[in-house]
Every structure is written in C-alpha cells, then in structure tokens.
Amino acid sequence: MKLTQLFKEKTETLSFEVFPPKDGKNYDSVKSATEEIAKLNPHYMSVTYGAGGGTGEYTVEISRNLQENFGVISLAHLTCVNSKREVVWERLRQLREAGIENILALRGDLLPDAADPSEWDYHYASELVSEIREFGGFCIGGACYPEGHVESEHSKDDIRHLKEKVDAGCQFLTTQMFFDNNILYNFLYRIREAGITVPVVAGIMPVTGANQIKRICQLSGTYLPQRFKAIVDRFGSEPAAMKQAGIAYATEQIIDLLANGVNHIHIYSMNKPEVAEQVQKNLSEIIR
C-alpha cells in the first residue's frame, strides 16, 4: 500500500525507523532487530540509506524482508548527493522488483571525500523527487526541518525550497526530530500559509542515553527545552532511569501532538525493539 492511501484510511498512524548495517558483519543482528520491531505490527517502517549510498543493497533487502515476511509496509530511504543517475535508476529498479512502493527521497549528508560538486548529477532532494516521479510508480516522501535546515540562513528560504520539493512531486513530509512541540506547531502554520498542504509526519526521538544528546546537537543544532535538559541532567548518568525518562518524555510529546491534530507519528527507534515496544504500549489505547 502507498502511504498516501494509508494516511487517508487511518486517522492516526504510528511507525518506526530502522537502519541497515554498515557492512555484512552485523547484518544478521541488525536484521533480527528490525524483525522484532516488525512483530509489533506498526503501520509502516522506514529503512534508512547509508551516507553516500554505502548501505543501499541492505536497505533494499531489509525493506523487502519486512514487507514480504512480516506484512509491514516499507518506506525505503534513497539519497542522491554524489550519486550518478544510472546508480539511482538501478536502485529504483531494485526497489520496484522488491515490491517497494514508498520512497523517502533525501539529498543525503555531504561527505568530506565526495567528488567535486560540478561532477554531481544531483544537488538537491527536489531533483531526486523529480527523477523518481519520472521513473514512475512510487509514492514519494521527503524530509522537512521544523527548526530550519542547518544550511539555510533564513526560514523563508527553507520553506521556499520545501515548496519546490513538494511541487516536484513530494506527496508527504517527515520532520526531523524536535523536542518542543510548539516549534512544530509554528512550522505547520508557516508551511500551510506557503501553500504546502501534503501530510506531515512528526518525527520523534526517544532519547535513551545522554550521549545521544551530544550527537543530536552536533549534527542538527536541535533546540532542547529546559524541561528536557533537566531530565538529562538528573538521569543522564543512570542508563536505566534515562531510558525510562526519555521514553516517557517522547510519549508525552506524542500525546500532545495527537491532541492537537498531528495524527501521524514516526519514531526514530534506533533499531531498539524494547524502545519501540514501550512507546507502543504507552499509546495502546490512543493509537490502535
């Protein structure tokens, strides 16, 4: 099923993100973790695509396994930066052969050893969206950034680029993680004013370890509310307590989002079945 159809049929959805292994050595353990999450029967699962496309084949394999053997709709990530057009089209053919109907189209991270930008076939996610649309047959999603993309100086420019991506054929959007729901509500108001009307899925990260926070801030500069900082300060040195507190904080975020009409929730579960399961249990009477 294409996710646009799922969003029409289901008032609320809960989904999980997993990532493939970096190499074959860890494939079995990663595959097992994704299968444990699939057994929770989420509405769909997304499978990430390694930097520079390094895990592309594993993305296809895991997406296929989740869909064929567990009946879970798969959303395969696909990045384009530093990729050649023939490589992208080959990956699209592989996804089609695997029965995958949904793709999250991303530019991808800029790597230090990437080729000269003048040699790239793609520079922006909107170009990949257009390419997938030309290929045909896929439901296309994209990323959005409630706090603005780290490379955009002005939020107006960021929203303008987002509109270009939607106009190119992006049919739904998934947000980067955020920890203050008011940031998302403000963002939704601004993009609706700009004419972006596609479904927006809220991306939530249950923080289960203090080290995650350092990495999150380094990569995206995400704003951390004082209430959240206090939780990390108090429980960050106690792993079990931090996990419980982080899941509780994420659950409260989700309940508030649902109460305010944000009906589609995507959990960055980091291949942790126990985290996915606990979040789902906390919402068992809220999202069925």
Side-chain angles (χ1 to χ4, degrees), residues 153-251:
E153 291 187 21
H154 305 290
S155 61
K156 287 184 178 180
D157 292 337
D158 199 44
I159 291 175
R160 177 169 54 82
H161 292 316
L162 187 62
K163 182 70 162 58
E164 291 171 356
K165 187 157 54 177
V166 171
D167 290 344
C170 187
Q171 296 165 280
F172 68 94
L173 297 166
T174 301
T175 76
Q176 186 184 54
M177 71 190 78
F178 56 93
F179 297 96
D180 183 340
N181 286 1
N182 288 325
I183 290 173
L184 179 69
Y185 299 142
N186 180 267
F187 173 74
L188 291 174
Y189 175 80
R190 288 185 289 120
I191 66 170
R192 298 314 187 202
E193 285 286 295
I196 299 172
T197 60
V198 299
V200 176
V201 182
I204 299 296
M205 166 76 84
V207 174
T208 58
N211 287 337
Q212 279 181 276
I213 291 297
K214 296 177 183 177
R215 180 164 173 76
I216 288 167
C217 292
Q218 287 173 352
L219 291 176
S220 60
T222 302
Y223 169 70
L224 302 178
Q226 186 56 44
R227 176 169 169 264
F228 182 77
K229 289 180 181 178
I231 290 172
V232 178
D233 289 343
R234 172 63 180 83
F235 303 111
S237 61
E238 305 170 49
M242 185 63 231
K243 177 182 283 191
Q244 190 172 56
I247 292 172
Y249 187 93
T251 300

XYZ file of all heavy atoms in Angstrom, residues 153-251:
780
model
N 20.113 29.908 5.906
C 20.285 31.046 6.804
C 18.946 31.610 7.258
O 18.825 32.138 8.363
C 21.099 32.141 6.104
C 22.557 31.766 5.861
C 23.348 32.935 5.322
O 22.912 34.091 5.517
O 24.401 32.709 4.706
N 17.925 31.503 6.398
C 16.635 32.114 6.697
C 15.518 31.085 6.535
O 15.510 30.299 5.583
C 16.381 33.304 5.773
C 17.475 34.334 5.806
N 17.686 35.146 6.899
C 18.408 34.659 4.878
C 18.724 35.939 6.634
N 19.180 35.660 5.429
N 14.565 31.098 7.454
C 13.460 30.133 7.415
C 12.612 30.298 6.161
O 12.084 29.322 5.635
C 12.586 30.291 8.661
O 12.014 31.589 8.730
N 12.504 31.533 5.657
C 11.720 31.745 4.439
C 12.341 31.006 3.258
O 11.628 30.431 2.424
C 11.605 33.235 4.125
C 10.671 33.997 5.064
C 10.524 35.447 4.637
C 9.556 36.183 5.553
N 9.405 37.621 5.153
N 13.672 31.017 3.186
C 14.354 30.286 2.111
C 14.132 28.788 2.264
O 13.917 28.073 1.280
C 15.859 30.587 2.141
C 16.181 32.018 1.758
O 15.359 32.637 1.065
O 17.250 32.512 2.154
N 14.171 28.314 3.492
C 13.976 26.897 3.761
C 12.581 26.450 3.313
O 12.424 25.402 2.679
C 14.168 26.633 5.260
C 14.430 25.177 5.560
O 15.229 24.555 4.835
O 13.836 24.650 6.510
N 11.579 27.249 3.630
C 10.205 26.908 3.249
C 10.017 27.015 1.738
O 9.314 26.212 1.130
C 9.206 27.798 4.011
C 9.228 27.419 5.498
C 7.790 27.655 3.441
C 8.375 28.286 6.381
N 10.688 27.981 1.121
C 10.614 28.091 -0.337
C 11.183 26.846 -1.008
O 10.603 26.313 -1.958
C 11.365 29.347 -0.808
C 11.409 29.512 -2.327
C 11.934 30.896 -2.691
N 13.216 31.183 -2.062
C 14.381 30.760 -2.540
N 14.429 30.028 -3.658
N 15.514 31.071 -1.929
N 12.307 26.344 -0.494
C 12.904 25.129 -1.048
C 12.000 23.916 -0.789
O 11.903 23.019 -1.626
C 14.286 24.892 -0.432
C 15.312 25.910 -0.824
N 15.455 26.353 -2.121
C 16.247 26.570 -0.085
C 16.435 27.249 -2.169
N 16.928 27.398 -0.953
N 11.342 23.913 0.356
C 10.415 22.822 0.661
C 9.245 22.832 -0.307
O 8.809 21.771 -0.777
C 9.918 22.969 2.106
C 9.072 21.822 2.651
C 9.860 20.526 2.674
C 8.559 22.156 4.050
N 8.756 24.002 -0.626
C 7.654 24.126 -1.606
C 8.103 23.620 -2.969
O 7.330 22.947 -3.682
C 7.215 25.588 -1.700
C 6.048 25.843 -2.658
C 4.753 25.265 -2.130
C 3.527 25.852 -2.819
N 3.466 25.703 -4.262
N 9.335 23.898 -3.342
C 9.872 23.411 -4.613
C 9.894 21.875 -4.629
O 9.595 21.248 -5.649
C 11.288 23.953 -4.836
C 11.337 25.445 -5.104
C 12.757 25.997 -5.103
O 13.709 25.217 -4.811
O 12.924 27.203 -5.364
N 10.246 21.289 -3.495
C 10.294 19.831 -3.392
C 8.894 19.237 -3.528
O 8.707 18.228 -4.222
C 10.937 19.433 -2.066
C 11.201 17.967 -1.900
C 12.297 17.671 -0.873
C 12.064 18.293 0.466
N 13.105 17.936 1.451
N 7.930 19.855 -2.871
C 6.547 19.371 -2.975
C 6.025 19.550 -4.397
O 5.386 18.654 -4.961
C 5.649 20.105 -1.953
C 4.181 19.793 -2.191
C 6.051 19.712 -0.529
N 6.307 20.678 -5.001
C 5.872 20.927 -6.381
C 6.511 19.944 -7.361
O 5.940 19.624 -8.406
C 6.206 22.358 -6.800
C 5.351 23.393 -6.087
O 4.312 23.007 -5.510
O 5.719 24.589 -6.101
N 7.697 19.441 -7.008
C 8.384 18.479 -7.876
C 7.747 17.093 -7.806
O 8.008 16.246 -8.668
C 9.860 18.380 -7.491
N 6.898 16.857 -6.792
C 6.213 15.568 -6.708
C 6.244 14.903 -5.350
O 5.806 13.750 -5.211
N 6.743 15.584 -4.320
C 6.782 15.031 -2.967
C 5.358 15.001 -2.404
O 4.686 16.031 -2.356
C 7.693 15.889 -2.099
S 8.002 15.217 -0.475
N 4.903 13.818 -1.947
C 3.495 13.631 -1.569
C 3.250 13.637 -0.070
O 2.099 13.700 0.368
C 2.994 12.317 -2.173
C 2.997 12.322 -3.705
C 2.866 10.925 -4.282
O 3.840 10.172 -4.343
N 1.664 10.574 -4.690
N 4.280 13.539 0.728
C 4.170 13.687 2.179
C 5.541 14.054 2.721
O 6.557 13.887 2.045
C 3.641 12.400 2.848
C 4.596 11.238 2.792
C 5.481 10.983 3.835
C 4.610 10.384 1.699
C 6.361 9.916 3.786
C 5.495 9.311 1.635
C 6.368 9.075 2.677
N 5.563 14.552 3.956
C 6.805 15.001 4.564
C 6.961 14.375 5.950
O 5.976 14.191 6.664
C 6.805 16.531 4.706
C 6.740 17.330 3.413
C 6.399 18.788 3.715
C 8.052 17.239 2.647
N 8.199 14.069 6.309
C 8.521 13.587 7.650
C 9.490 14.568 8.276
O 10.493 14.945 7.651
C 9.149 12.186 7.606
O 8.245 11.274 6.974
C 9.459 11.692 9.009
N 9.211 14.985 9.498
C 10.050 16.006 10.118
C 11.310 15.416 10.727
O 11.351 14.257 11.137
C 9.317 16.756 11.246
O 9.248 15.931 12.417
C 7.923 17.177 10.836
N 12.316 16.249 10.801
C 13.469 15.953 11.636
C 12.994 15.945 13.100
O 11.960 16.543 13.429
C 14.533 17.028 11.444
C 15.846 16.755 12.164
C 16.819 17.908 12.013
O 16.478 19.057 12.322
N 18.011 17.639 11.540
N 13.721 15.260 13.970
C 13.349 15.218 15.383
C 13.287 16.616 15.978
O 13.990 17.545 15.554
C 14.355 14.373 16.154
C 15.711 15.005 16.309
S 16.945 13.890 16.972
C 17.336 12.927 15.502
N 12.431 16.777 16.951
C 12.316 18.027 17.706
C 11.854 17.658 19.107
O 11.269 16.586 19.334
C 11.314 18.984 17.042
C 9.948 18.380 16.850
C 8.956 18.550 17.807
C 9.659 17.617 15.724
C 7.707 17.969 17.654
C 8.408 17.032 15.564
C 7.423 17.208 16.520
N 12.112 18.543 20.059
C 11.790 18.245 21.450
C 10.842 19.257 22.073
O 10.504 19.147 23.247
C 13.080 18.150 22.276
C 13.970 17.015 21.826
C 15.013 17.252 20.941
C 13.746 15.718 22.242
C 15.826 16.214 20.500
C 14.551 14.675 21.807
C 15.586 14.922 20.933
N 10.440 20.229 21.280
C 9.475 21.234 21.728
C 8.355 21.277 20.693
O 8.563 21.716 19.561
C 10.171 22.598 21.839
C 9.253 23.692 22.366
O 8.019 23.527 22.304
O 9.765 24.729 22.815
N 7.176 20.821 21.068
C 6.077 20.735 20.115
C 5.657 22.083 19.561
O 5.156 22.178 18.435
C 4.872 20.055 20.764
C 5.067 18.558 20.935
O 6.113 18.015 20.581
N 4.075 17.888 21.499
N 5.858 23.153 20.317
C 5.479 24.474 19.821
C 6.259 24.845 18.564
O 5.756 25.595 17.719
C 5.700 25.534 20.905
C 4.677 25.423 22.022
O 3.518 25.093 21.774
N 5.102 25.680 23.247
N 7.471 24.325 18.452
C 8.260 24.565 17.239
C 7.556 23.956 16.040
O 7.472 24.567 14.966
C 9.678 23.996 17.406
C 10.471 24.833 18.416
C 10.421 23.948 16.067
C 11.829 24.259 18.778
N 7.030 22.749 16.200
C 6.319 22.104 15.089
C 5.030 22.846 14.764
O 4.724 23.074 13.590
C 6.005 20.649 15.417
C 5.237 19.935 14.291
C 6.121 19.742 13.070
C 4.658 18.614 14.750
N 4.270 23.239 15.773
C 3.001 23.917 15.506
C 3.231 25.209 14.728
O 2.493 25.537 13.797
C 2.267 24.213 16.818
C 1.920 22.975 17.616
C 1.998 22.966 19.008
C 1.516 21.798 16.984
C 1.681 21.831 19.742
C 1.204 20.657 17.719
C 1.296 20.680 19.089
O 0.992 19.554 19.805
N 4.270 25.940 15.096
C 4.603 27.171 14.376
C 5.023 26.869 12.944
O 4.622 27.566 11.996
C 5.711 27.911 15.126
C 6.123 29.209 14.448
O 7.055 29.246 13.652
N 5.412 30.283 14.766
N 5.812 25.810 12.782
C 6.274 25.406 11.453
C 5.088 25.015 10.566
O 5.013 25.421 9.389
C 7.241 24.235 11.598
C 7.671 23.601 10.309
C 8.574 24.229 9.466
C 7.191 22.346 9.941
C 8.990 23.642 8.278
C 7.598 21.748 8.759
C 8.493 22.394 7.928
N 4.155 24.245 11.109
C 2.997 23.821 10.327
C 2.177 25.020 9.864
O 1.695 25.060 8.729
C 2.125 22.862 11.146
C 2.723 21.482 11.422
C 1.817 20.689 12.359
C 2.945 20.715 10.120
N 2.018 25.993 10.736
C 1.280 27.201 10.358
C 1.966 27.900 9.185
O 1.319 28.313 8.214
C 1.187 28.152 11.553
C 0.546 29.479 11.222
C -0.838 29.601 11.145
C 1.329 30.605 10.963
C -1.426 30.821 10.825
C 0.750 31.824 10.652
C -0.629 31.918 10.581
O -1.199 33.117 10.251
N 3.290 28.002 9.261
C 4.036 28.722 8.221
C 4.020 27.987 6.886
O 3.879 28.605 5.828
C 5.475 28.970 8.679
C 5.571 30.031 9.772
C 6.985 30.379 10.157
N 7.633 29.300 10.882
C 8.729 28.677 10.478
N 9.305 29.014 9.328
N 9.263 27.707 11.199
N 4.135 26.657 6.902
C 4.150 25.953 5.615
C 2.754 25.908 4.999
O 2.615 25.939 3.773
C 4.753 24.539 5.717
C 3.891 23.598 6.565
C 6.182 24.599 6.243
C 4.329 22.147 6.485
N 1.709 25.845 5.828
C 0.348 25.890 5.277
C 0.086 27.244 4.641
O -0.547 27.336 3.581
C -0.682 25.599 6.368
C -0.606 24.220 7.041
C -0.439 23.067 6.076
N -0.542 21.769 6.750
C -0.034 20.639 6.280
N 0.639 20.639 5.135
N -0.191 19.515 6.941
N 0.584 28.298 5.271
C 0.462 29.639 4.698
C 1.191 29.731 3.361
O 0.789 30.499 2.479
C 1.047 30.678 5.671
C 0.178 30.967 6.874
C -1.022 31.817 6.512
O -0.825 32.968 6.115
O -2.170 31.323 6.632
N 2.263 28.943 3.201
C 3.045 28.945 1.958
C 2.434 28.034 0.899
O 2.990 27.906 -0.194
C 4.473 28.515 2.253
N 1.318 27.384 1.216
C 0.645 26.544 0.224
C 1.086 25.101 0.219
O 0.779 24.353 -0.728
N 1.801 24.660 1.253
C 2.218 23.257 1.353
C 1.149 22.508 2.142
O 0.994 22.715 3.351
C 3.591 23.149 2.052
C 4.648 23.896 1.226
C 3.986 21.689 2.251
C 5.998 24.017 1.925
N 0.405 21.662 1.463
C -0.761 21.026 2.076
C -0.640 19.515 2.206
O -1.579 18.856 2.648
C -2.024 21.349 1.262
O -1.857 20.856 -0.090
C -2.271 22.851 1.204
N 0.500 18.932 1.834
C 0.664 17.477 1.920
C 0.716 17.041 3.382
O 1.021 17.852 4.267
C 1.946 17.010 1.181
C 1.870 17.354 -0.298
C 3.190 17.613 1.824
N 0.423 15.761 3.680
C 0.512 15.282 5.066
C 1.913 15.460 5.636
O 2.907 15.278 4.937
C 0.156 13.792 4.942
C -0.640 13.680 3.676
C -0.063 14.705 2.757
N 1.971 15.814 6.911
C 3.244 15.958 7.614
C 3.285 14.951 8.760
O 2.394 14.934 9.608
C 3.437 17.383 8.159
C 4.725 17.478 8.976
C 3.471 18.396 7.015
N 4.309 14.106 8.749
C 4.508 13.093 9.783
C 5.519 13.643 10.781
O 6.595 14.087 10.396
C 5.028 11.777 9.164
C 5.199 10.705 10.234
C 4.090 11.292 8.058
N 5.169 13.592 12.065
C 6.056 14.132 13.107
C 7.088 13.092 13.503
O 6.743 11.996 13.941
C 5.240 14.561 14.322
N 8.365 13.435 13.374
C 9.456 12.532 13.741
C 9.875 12.747 15.192
O 10.285 13.849 15.564
N 9.748 11.700 16.009
C 10.042 11.804 17.441
C 11.179 10.859 17.811
O 11.165 9.686 17.439
C 8.784 11.463 18.271
C 7.652 12.441 17.969
C 9.115 11.448 19.760
C 7.941 13.875 18.362
N 12.131 11.368 18.562
C 13.276 10.577 19.014
C 13.197 10.357 20.522
O 13.376 11.292 21.299
C 14.587 11.290 18.668
C 15.807 10.713 19.378
S 16.373 9.159 18.685
C 17.385 9.788 17.326
N 12.918 9.118 20.965
C 13.024 8.837 22.396
C 14.512 8.766 22.771
O 15.224 7.875 22.322
C 12.354 7.455 22.543
C 11.618 7.222 21.254
C 12.395 7.969 20.221
N 14.964 9.712 23.540
C 16.377 9.758 23.922
C 16.593 8.828 25.109
O 16.031 9.032 26.182
C 16.803 11.190 24.273
C 18.235 11.200 24.797
C 16.698 12.083 23.053
N 17.389 7.797 24.901
C 17.582 6.781 25.936
C 18.982 6.807 26.546
O 19.301 5.990 27.394
C 17.298 5.381 25.369
O 18.176 5.148 24.245
C 15.853 5.277 24.896
N 19.813 7.745 26.103
C 21.165 7.859 26.647
C 21.681 9.274 26.491
O 21.389 9.943 25.498
N 22.441 9.749 27.460
C 22.948 11.123 27.422
C 23.842 11.376 26.221
O 23.874 12.494 25.686
C 23.702 11.431 28.711
N 24.567 10.375 25.756
C 25.462 10.551 24.611
C 24.698 10.881 23.335
O 25.244 11.526 22.431
C 26.316 9.302 24.404
C 27.396 9.149 25.465
O 27.793 10.132 26.089
N 27.861 7.933 25.683
N 23.449 10.404 23.245
C 22.635 10.728 22.077
C 22.457 12.231 21.937
O 22.451 12.764 20.826
C 21.252 10.075 22.196
C 21.190 8.615 21.794
C 19.772 8.090 21.932
O 19.350 7.687 23.009
N 19.041 8.110 20.848
N 22.283 12.906 23.068
C 22.037 14.340 23.045
C 23.210 15.088 22.434
O 23.042 15.993 21.609
C 21.768 14.862 24.468
C 20.427 14.321 24.972
C 21.749 16.380 24.508
C 19.248 14.783 24.177
N 24.423 14.712 22.810
C 25.612 15.374 22.260
C 25.649 15.243 20.744
O 25.924 16.198 20.027
C 26.872 14.759 22.879
C 26.997 14.985 24.381
C 28.234 14.283 24.938
C 28.313 14.440 26.453
N 29.471 13.707 27.022
N 25.368 14.023 20.263
C 25.411 13.791 18.819
C 24.307 14.556 18.106
O 24.519 15.138 17.050
C 25.291 12.292 18.539
C 25.336 11.941 17.063
C 25.599 10.465 16.833
N 25.473 10.083 15.441
C 26.375 10.331 14.514
N 27.474 10.991 14.839
N 26.186 9.949 13.272
N 23.107 14.565 18.693
C 21.977 15.280 18.101
C 22.305 16.758 17.948
O 22.071 17.358 16.893
C 20.715 15.086 18.970
C 20.181 13.653 18.827
C 19.626 16.084 18.577
C 19.148 13.283 19.862
N 22.846 17.343 18.976
C 23.164 18.778 18.946
C 24.281 19.084 17.954
O 24.259 20.112 17.275
C 23.541 19.260 20.336
S 22.168 19.238 21.506
N 25.263 18.196 17.860
C 26.362 18.392 16.918
C 25.879 18.345 15.472
O 26.292 19.141 14.636
C 27.434 17.328 17.134
C 28.262 17.529 18.402
C 29.195 16.366 18.686
O 29.135 15.332 18.021
N 30.058 16.524 19.679
N 24.970 17.412 15.178
C 24.539 17.203 13.802
C 23.494 18.215 13.344
O 23.513 18.665 12.201
C 23.973 15.783 13.632
C 24.979 14.631 13.731
C 24.258 13.297 13.634
C 26.026 14.744 12.619
N 22.562 18.557 14.223
C 21.424 19.341 13.762
C 21.179 20.627 14.538
O 20.357 21.440 14.124
C 20.148 18.482 13.827
O 19.900 18.063 15.156
N 21.857 20.803 15.664
C 21.622 22.000 16.448
C 20.221 22.089 17.011
O 19.685 23.181 17.232
N 19.584 20.953 17.243
C 18.213 20.910 17.720
C 18.058 21.615 19.063
O 18.874 21.445 19.968
C 17.747 19.440 17.870
O 17.886 18.793 16.605
C 16.301 19.358 18.319
N 16.997 22.407 19.187
C 16.723 23.133 20.426
C 16.263 22.159 21.507
O 15.403 21.303 21.274
C 15.638 24.174 20.177
C 15.094 24.796 21.451
C 15.867 25.658 22.222
C 13.797 24.492 21.876
C 15.368 26.220 23.384
C 13.296 25.050 23.041
C 14.075 25.900 23.795
O 13.595 26.447 24.943
N 16.835 22.305 22.688
C 16.470 21.457 23.825
C 15.786 22.316 24.879
O 16.411 23.190 25.478
C 17.712 20.795 24.421
C 18.557 19.929 23.476
C 19.764 19.382 24.213
C 17.724 18.798 22.882
N 14.495 22.081 25.131
C 13.787 22.856 26.161
C 14.414 22.620 27.543
O 14.998 21.563 27.798
C 12.358 22.291 26.117
C 12.260 21.541 24.832
C 13.630 21.088 24.488
N 14.241 23.584 28.427
C 14.813 23.467 29.757
C 14.275 22.234 30.476
O 15.009 21.557 31.213
C 14.519 24.730 30.578
C 15.201 24.746 31.939
C 16.715 24.578 31.833
O 17.364 25.190 30.982
N 17.280 23.732 32.689
N 13.014 21.933 30.260
C 12.415 20.765 30.905
C 13.122 19.482 30.483
O 13.338 18.569 31.291
C 10.925 20.703 30.552
C 10.193 19.489 31.087
C 8.694 19.664 30.911
N 8.006 18.410 31.167
C 7.654 17.552 30.229
N 7.914 17.809 28.962
N 7.027 16.435 30.527
N 13.494 19.422 29.217
C 14.195 18.243 28.720
C 15.635 18.205 29.244
O 16.140 17.157 29.639
C 14.184 18.242 27.186
C 14.841 17.033 26.584
C 14.193 15.810 26.552
C 16.120 17.111 26.053
C 14.794 14.693 26.005
C 16.730 15.993 25.504
C 16.058 14.785 25.483
N 16.282 19.360 29.267
C 17.650 19.430 29.800
C 17.695 18.960 31.252
O 18.637 18.280 31.672
C 18.182 20.861 29.709
C 18.498 21.345 28.303
C 19.022 22.772 28.356
C 19.335 23.307 26.976
N 19.805 24.710 27.026
N 16.668 19.323 32.012
C 16.631 18.928 33.417
C 16.551 17.411 33.561
O 17.170 16.824 34.457
C 15.425 19.585 34.104
N 15.818 16.774 32.660
C 15.715 15.313 32.674
C 17.079 14.683 32.403
O 17.506 13.753 33.099
C 14.676 14.836 31.637
C 13.273 15.216 32.093
C 14.779 13.325 31.403
C 12.197 14.958 31.060
N 17.780 15.208 31.407
C 19.105 14.673 31.063
C 20.090 14.923 32.204
O 20.883 14.042 32.572
C 19.625 15.286 29.747
C 21.019 14.767 29.430
C 18.677 14.972 28.597
N 20.042 16.125 32.786
C 20.948 16.440 33.897
C 20.712 15.508 35.086
O 21.664 15.080 35.754
C 20.760 17.897 34.345
C 21.300 18.885 33.329
O 22.090 18.461 32.458
O 20.922 20.075 33.403
N 19.452 15.212 35.352
C 19.124 14.405 36.529
C 19.377 12.921 36.305
O 19.878 12.219 37.189
C 17.656 14.631 36.912
C 17.118 13.706 38.001
C 17.847 13.906 39.336
N 17.334 13.018 40.354
C 17.709 11.745 40.514
N 18.626 11.223 39.683
N 17.201 10.992 41.466
N 19.044 12.406 35.103
C 19.075 10.958 34.889
C 20.126 10.488 33.888
O 20.272 9.290 33.659
C 17.697 10.473 34.416
C 16.573 10.821 35.345
C 15.611 11.747 34.980
C 16.487 10.231 36.596
C 14.574 12.076 35.842
C 15.448 10.553 37.467
C 14.489 11.479 37.096
N 20.874 11.430 33.300
C 21.819 11.074 32.242
C 22.885 10.089 32.647
O 23.389 9.328 31.812
N 23.254 10.081 33.915
C 24.306 9.168 34.382
C 23.760 7.829 34.859
O 24.514 6.969 35.295
C 25.096 9.831 35.524
O 24.239 10.120 36.618
N 22.441 7.667 34.768
C 21.805 6.417 35.187
C 21.091 5.817 33.969
O 19.963 6.205 33.665
C 20.804 6.675 36.306
C 21.395 7.397 37.514
C 20.337 7.837 38.491
O 19.473 6.998 38.840
O 20.342 9.022 38.889
N 21.732 4.897 33.254
C 21.202 4.407 31.980
C 19.751 3.934 32.027
O 18.942 4.315 31.167
C 22.154 3.258 31.625
C 23.439 3.640 32.293
C 23.048 4.316 33.570
N 19.403 3.116 33.002
C 18.034 2.587 33.057
C 17.032 3.711 33.312
O 15.951 3.756 32.688
C 17.925 1.517 34.140
N 17.388 4.624 34.214
C 16.492 5.739 34.522
C 16.363 6.680 33.326
O 15.268 7.179 33.023
C 17.009 6.502 35.743
N 17.483 6.931 32.619
C 17.447 7.809 31.452
C 16.570 7.217 30.356
O 15.804 7.926 29.705
C 18.868 8.045 30.931
C 18.940 9.059 29.785
S 18.422 10.725 30.238
C 17.245 11.089 28.940
N 16.675 5.913 30.155
C 15.838 5.261 29.140
C 14.359 5.429 29.472
O 13.550 5.807 28.617
C 16.186 3.773 29.021
C 15.302 3.032 28.028
C 15.629 1.556 27.959
C 16.880 1.282 27.154
N 17.061 -0.150 26.874
N 14.005 5.181 30.727
C 12.611 5.298 31.136
C 12.118 6.742 31.010
O 11.013 6.997 30.505
C 12.454 4.809 32.573
C 11.010 4.657 33.024
C 10.922 3.982 34.380
O 11.514 4.452 35.353
N 10.197 2.883 34.450
N 12.939 7.678 31.451
C 12.556 9.084 31.381
C 12.458 9.569 29.942
O 11.548 10.330 29.581
C 13.561 9.940 32.154
N 13.408 9.118 29.098
C 13.388 9.528 27.682
C 12.166 9.019 26.956
O 11.561 9.733 26.140
N 11.777 7.788 27.230
C 10.576 7.222 26.604
C 9.328 7.937 27.108
O 8.400 8.223 26.341
C 10.499 5.706 26.865
C 11.623 4.987 26.110
C 9.138 5.143 26.453
C 11.759 3.512 26.448
N 9.308 8.256 28.409
C 8.166 8.980 28.976
C 8.031 10.367 28.339
O 6.918 10.807 28.014
C 8.316 9.097 30.488
N 9.166 11.057 28.149
C 9.134 12.395 27.539
C 8.600 12.302 26.106
O 7.744 13.096 25.695
C 10.528 13.011 27.544
C 10.558 14.451 27.083
C 10.467 15.486 28.001
C 10.676 14.773 25.728
C 10.490 16.817 27.577
C 10.691 16.083 25.301
C 10.597 17.108 26.232
O 10.605 18.422 25.813
N 9.096 11.325 25.338
C 8.633 11.151 23.961
C 7.149 10.827 23.932
O 6.411 11.325 23.068
C 9.439 10.041 23.286
N 6.692 9.997 24.873
C 5.276 9.641 24.923
C 4.421 10.882 25.181
O 3.379 11.073 24.532
C 5.029 8.604 26.039
O 5.800 7.429 25.773
C 3.556 8.227 26.099
